[in-house]
Amino acid sequence: LPTCGAREALSLALEKLFYPGDELIATSLEWPSYEAMADKNHLRLVRVDVPEDFSYPLQGIEDAITPRTKAIIINSPHNPTGRILSQEEMESLAEIAIQYKLLIISDEVYNGVNTDGFLRSIAGIAGMKERILYINSFSKIFAIPGWRMGYVCGPADLIRIMASEKADYNGNKDTLPQYAIKIALEGYRPQIAAFIDENNASYRKNTEYVCREFEKLGIGLVYPKGAFYVFFRIPPMVGMDSEEFADKLLEAGVAIAPGIVFGKEWNGYMRLCIALKQKEIRLIVKKIRENIKGSDRND
Amino acid sequence: LPTCGAREALSLALEKLFYPGDELIATSLEWPSYEAMADKNHLRLVRVDVPEDFSYPLQGIEDAITPRTKAIIINSPHNPTGRILSQEEMESLAEIAIQYKLLIISDEVYNGVNTDGFLRSIAGIAGMKERILYINSFSKIFAIPGWRMGYVCGPADLIRIMASEKADYNGNKDTLPQYAIKIALEGYRPQIAAFIDENNASYRKNTEYVCREFEKLGIGLVYPKGAFYVFFRIPPMVGMDSEEFADKLLEAGVAIAPGIVFGKEWNGYMRLCIALKQKEIRLIVKKIRENIKGSDRND
């Protein structure tokens, strides 16, 4: 089902495929809209703590399952940490989903972004066809977020419910971006591959540069394996929470998402988007360096 | 606020601007989605009977107002009758809206379609700026329904609420159709005017032909003053309700909307869309004629 961004696919799923009080499991560090959408539809998003090293809390996920659990939401590559689920983790998740009769909602909007080729999807694991909602979008991989070209694949009966709701709510996804992408996919595969490679080379270079410079500054982070964010800990000597630090950086002309948008336990973190030109990245690192040093001098 | 069709503008309005139990007034013959959207949002759509001649039941509308009434939905030119609200009717509606502190939801998606130029909107009447949701779309007037290019204008506080909900639900309306229409409006006004004139000339020709032929067949209808539908009464000698007649015509290769989709009191009517090529219209009239005569022979 083509949708207005992956966002609409998730909105439709959470609106129509569950009952109030149903539980969906994700980790404690996710794109904030998962929880907002769950709240809106009177669903409970169960947030499983992620460990210090941001590894995937597989055991915690299984432990969080209750009779009310209906789905597990996964996001790999992960916003904001760039974590990637391993094949073993996906196989374990598939086993859990089958054992407990759960739906897996796999948000793969960063699949292929800043990674070495496209990652295998959990959708390909045996037994998953019946219990997956595969959600993706061309926004990140084609760098066309404004086109709102998302889609969702899954069992026909579930897609039919979502398609019917979409038809009632706002009709079909409009045709212009669909035709443009169809033409691109049918006739311009090498150009698309070159475009993605070029973007990924730039993302990788920026990721490496930022991580190296942050390490020099003693900023804690886990090296992202995909997506285009660096999620880092605010050095204690800054003495600010994430909103204060974001405001201070904004005054210096740098916009970075404060960790608190991901939940109050992330108030000591920031999410830097590295999908920028190299000289912009250098400027940002410079401003962050100055603001850390500036904080130091104020002590 | 740009929206995915006028449909999304209405969906957002009915979802976010009213409370469960609020009453919205319309006539008993409207685009079926008004009632479906009202039901979905636990609002009551009060349907005011339209007289035999399909004139606008202004007195009935005013009589239907209760303390729970929050808005009146109007649609001019009207789907399915092609009725146009007169300046006097709009002024009376504006007075009623101001007196009872109601919102007017003006669905003008057929404004300029099959009419002699664009019609004045109720939005232009003094005192209405604060209490109108003006809903329109490029779908009909530019003949681009697949682009889903709708929009809604109204008081800033209401638009802000709808914009926030849209951002959460599926993000912005995508940019491709917006840029295409911007370019058209900025640089191609004469071509657009010629395109609309050409379409309207064809719609008018088809309307006149169908009404003339139907009159010969003794089919009851009211001549449409706008939009591209002819809403007609199934001749008694057909001896079928609207669904049966629609099915029979479908077998003959002709798709006409059965009146029952507008409510069970319209089961003796059909809505023919005349936005077709002239030879298609001739074929449809021929098939209807044959099916009426065929019914006759079966008696």
Side-chain angles (χ1 to χ4, degrees):
Chain A
L1 176 69
T3 53
C4 297
R7 187 182 273 279
E8 188 176 79
L10 273 160
S11 289
L12 289 165
L14 269 54
E15 184 179 348
K16 299 304 286 188
L17 304 184
F18 304 97
Y19 291 104
D22 281 356
E23 292 176 4
L24 315 174
I25 300 178
T27 79
S28 61
L29 179 57
E30 303 285 0
W31 187 49
S33 294
Y34 294 162
E35 188 156 29
M37 287 177 187
D39 287 350
K40 183 187 167 186
N41 293 293
H42 311 290
L43 310 175
R44 183 161 169 250
L45 188 79
V46 177
R47 304 164 90 242
V48 174
D49 283 344
V50 291
E52 285 270 316
D53 64 356
F54 295 125
S55 60
Y56 190 69
L58 187 62
Q59 188 56 53
I61 296 283
E62 184 166 5
D63 293 346
I65 294 170
T66 77
R68 301 234 62 159
T69 305
K70 294 295 155 55
I72 299 170
I73 305 179
I74 58 176
N75 173 222
S76 173
H78 180 246
N79 173 8
T81 65
R83 179 192 58 225
I84 285 173
L85 289 176
S86 68
Q87 185 66 23
E88 292 69 36
E89 285 168 331
M90 289 195 292
E91 279 167 12
S92 300
L93 275 167
E95 269 177 44
I96 291 170
I98 291 163
Q99 185 185 341
Y100 295 95
K101 298 193 176 17
L102 305 178
L103 198 64
I104 296 279
I105 301 177
S106 186
D107 172 355
E108 304 197 17
V109 298
Y110 297 102
N111 197 334
V113 175
N114 202 4
T115 55
D116 189 18
F118 285 94
L119 308 175
R120 282 194 186 179
S121 169
I122 192 169
I125 294 175
M128 290 310 290
K129 257 191 192 155
E130 300 84 342
R131 44 184 69 263
I132 195 152
L133 280 187
Y134 171 91
I135 292 177
N136 210 332
S137 152
F138 290 92
S139 294
K140 273 79 178 182
I141 194 73
F142 279 18
I144 49 169
W147 293 24
R148 315 299 305 132
M149 195 59 245
Y151 57 98
V152 51
C153 312
D157 53 340
L158 301 188
I159 297 295
R160 219 174 283 123
I161 291 167
M162 293 167 70
S164 165
E165 171 62 19
K166 175 156 174 57
D168 288 345
Y169 192 79
N170 61 13
N172 60 295
K173 169 63 188 164
D174 55 310
T175 47
L176 283 192
Q178 294 194 65
Y179 277 114
I181 289 169
K182 182 168 183 278
I183 290 166
L185 292 175
E186 283 173 358
Y188 298 87
R189 290 269 179 172
Q191 291 88 337
I192 291 170
F195 176 78
I196 291 171
D197 285 350
E198 196 184 315
N199 282 341
N200 281 347
S202 158
Y203 297 155
R204 191 44 47 188
K205 197 177 242 178
N206 289 345
T207 303
E208 284 168 8
Y209 173 75
V210 166
C211 293
R212 202 168 51 231
E213 294 299 313
F214 279 12
E215 200 179 334
K216 285 184 207 164
L217 292 167
I219 294 175
L221 59 84
V222 172
Y223 190 88
K225 292 183 178 163
F228 43 50
Y229 305 109
V230 175
F231 194 66
F232 64 93
R233 186 185 273 277
I234 304 167
M237 69 189 196
V238 170
M240 292 182 189
D241 68 19
S242 67
E243 277 181 304
E244 290 163 344
F245 197 42
D247 285 345
K248 197 177 174 199
L249 289 168
L250 202 57
E251 280 170 34
V254 171
I256 307 192
I260 196 164
V261 304
F262 297 96
K264 59 182 184 311
E265 64 267 57
W266 304 107
N267 205 9
Y269 290 81
M270 305 287 283
R271 189 195 71 175
L272 170 64
C273 176
I274 57 84
L276 294 162
K277 295 200 184 80
Q278 217 176 328
K279 69 175 183 192
E280 292 168 325
I281 288 289
R282 285 178 188 275
L283 186 68
I284 287 170
V285 169
K286 182 167 165 280
K287 292 291 183 189
I288 288 175
R289 191 189 299 120
E290 286 170 6
N291 274 282
I292 290 176
K293 297 237 167 104
S295 310
D296 199 21
R297 275 198 296 274
N298 289 340
D299 284 346
Chain B
L1 176 70
T3 55
C4 297
R7 186 184 273 278
E8 189 177 79
L10 273 159
S11 290
L12 289 166
L14 269 54
E15 184 178 349
K16 299 304 285 188
L17 305 183
F18 304 98
Y19 291 104
D22 281 354
E23 293 176 3
L24 314 174
I25 300 178
T27 79
S28 62
L29 179 57
E30 303 286 359
W31 187 48
S33 294
Y34 294 161
E35 188 157 29
M37 287 177 188
D39 287 349
K40 184 188 166 186
N41 293 293
H42 311 290
L43 310 175
R44 184 162 167 248
L45 188 80
V46 177
R47 305 164 89 242
V48 173
D49 283 346
V50 292
E52 286 269 317
D53 64 356
F54 294 125
S55 60
Y56 189 69
L58 187 62
Q59 188 57 54
I61 296 283
E62 185 166 6
D63 293 345
I65 295 169
T66 77
R68 300 235 63 162
T69 306
K70 294 295 155 54
I72 299 170
I73 304 179
I74 58 175
N75 174 223
S76 172
H78 180 246
N79 172 10
T81 66
R83 179 192 58 225
I84 285 174
L85 288 177
S86 69
Q87 185 66 21
E88 292 69 35
E89 285 167 331
M90 288 195 292
E91 279 167 13
S92 300
L93 275 167
E95 269 177 45
I96 291 170
I98 291 164
Q99 185 185 341
Y100 295 95
K101 298 191 175 21
L102 305 178
L103 199 63
I104 296 279
I105 301 176
S106 186
D107 172 354
E108 304 197 17
V109 298
Y110 297 102
N111 196 334
V113 175
N114 202 4
T115 56
D116 190 15
F118 284 94
L119 308 176
R120 281 193 187 180
S121 169
I122 192 170
I125 294 176
M128 290 311 289
K129 257 191 192 156
E130 300 84 343
R131 44 185 71 265
I132 193 150
L133 280 188
Y134 171 90
I135 292 176
N136 209 332
S137 151
F138 290 92
S139 294
K140 272 79 178 183
I141 194 74
F142 279 18
I144 49 169
W147 293 25
R148 315 299 304 132
M149 194 60 244
Y151 56 98
V152 51
C153 311
D157 54 339
L158 302 188
I159 297 295
R160 220 173 283 126
I161 293 167
M162 294 166 71
S164 165
E165 171 62 18
K166 173 153 176 60
D168 288 345
Y169 193 79
N170 60 14
N172 60 293
K173 169 63 187 165
D174 56 310
T175 48
L176 283 190
Q178 295 193 66
Y179 277 114
I181 289 169
K182 182 170 181 280
I183 290 166
L185 291 176
E186 282 173 359
Y188 298 86
R189 291 268 178 172
Q191 291 88 338
I192 290 171
F195 176 77
I196 291 171
D197 284 350
E198 195 184 314
N199 282 341
N200 280 348
S202 159
Y203 297 155
R204 190 46 46 190
K205 197 176 239 176
N206 288 346
T207 303
E208 283 168 7
Y209 172 75
V210 165
C211 291
R212 200 168 55 233
E213 293 299 313
F214 278 12
E215 201 180 333
K216 283 186 207 162
L217 292 167
I219 294 175
L221 58 86
V222 172
Y223 190 87
K225 293 184 177 161
F228 42 50
Y229 305 110
V230 175
F231 194 66
F232 64 92
R233 187 184 272 278
I234 303 166
M237 70 188 197
V238 170
M240 291 182 192
D241 69 19
S242 65
E243 278 182 303
E244 291 163 346
F245 197 41
D247 285 344
K248 196 177 176 198
L249 289 168
L250 202 57
E251 280 170 32
V254 172
I256 308 194
I260 197 165
V261 303
F262 297 96
K264 60 183 185 310
E265 64 267 57
W266 305 106
N267 205 8
Y269 290 81
M270 305 288 282
R271 188 196 71 174
L272 170 64
C273 175
I274 57 84
L276 294 163
K277 296 201 183 81
Q278 217 177 327
K279 70 175 185 194
E280 293 168 326
I281 287 289
R282 285 178 188 277
L283 187 68
I284 287 170
V285 169
K286 183 168 165 277
K287 292 291 182 188
I288 289 175
R289 190 189 299 119
E290 284 170 6
N291 275 283
I292 290 176
K293 296 235 167 104
S295 310
D296 198 21
R297 275 201 296 274
N298 288 338
D299 284 346

